[in-house]
Amino acid sequence: MARTVADVMTAHPATIEGDQPVKVAAALMRDNDTGAILVNDNGRLQGIVTDRDIAVRCVADDKGPDTPVREACSASVEAVGPDTSIDQAVKLMRTHHVRRLPVVEDGRPVGILSLGDLAMERDPNSALADISAAEGNR
């Protein structure tokens, strides 16, 4: 059984610089079959942007596809290191009501841990694990 975040995280997450337009983030989401992209400022974690963030903070507010990602992202982000225990990561996710935790080393993203990753590790027969393991929509 996995003990640390590094054992179950998705390594090499998709990232984008905060000054890039949300249309680039949306294309990265499509190309990487993910709903979240880590946002950097000169390679250091600045935030996270989700497909929902783009819908709610850009589309719903009539902002265009060239809006900088930093205007759509959640800048206040809980992050963990790869050596963080899975139990501690779960506790953080519960406490902060988040579905994903960026994994960083020296402020730079090295992975991302999602509820789906945890479900596949802890309860592989659950509905969430099945959904997480399924091929993405294209």
Side-chain angles (χ1 to χ4, degrees):
M1 181 178 251
R3 303 184 131 235
T4 67
V5 167
D7 296 329
V8 295
M9 73 180 190
T10 299
H12 312 293
T15 63
I16 189 169
E17 289 290 318
D19 59 351
Q20 291 291 303
V22 293
K23 67 183 175 188
V24 173
L28 279 170
M29 289 176 191
R30 177 198 61 215
D31 296 346
N32 288 277
D33 190 29
T34 188
I37 304 291
L38 299 181
V39 181
N40 288 334
D41 181 13
N42 291 315
R44 301 185 73 76
L45 184 67
Q46 175 186 12
I48 188 169
V49 66
T50 67
D51 45 8
R52 186 176 191 281
D53 291 333
I54 293 171
V56 171
R57 295 181 180 152
C58 290
V59 177
D61 286 343
D62 206 26
K63 294 181 181 176
D66 292 320
T67 301
V69 170
R70 77 169 67 81
E71 291 182 26
C73 77
S74 297
S76 177
V77 178
E78 292 299 318
V80 295
D83 294 332
T84 302
S85 74
I86 290 178
D87 290 339
Q88 181 62 28
V90 168
K91 184 184 250 184
L92 273 172
M93 292 172 99
R94 282 185 172 145
T95 300
H96 296 282
H97 305 102
V98 294
R99 294 174 177 91
R100 299 170 188 93
L101 287 174
V103 183
V104 297
E105 284 185 318
D106 299 321
R108 299 188 183 282
V110 296
I112 191 164
L113 179 69
S114 71
L115 284 178
D117 295 331
L118 293 169
M120 289 189 299
E121 170 61 28
R122 294 267 172 110
D123 191 4
N125 296 317
S126 69
L128 181 54
D130 288 346
I131 292 166
S132 297
E135 189 173 328
N137 296 333
R138 293 253 173 207

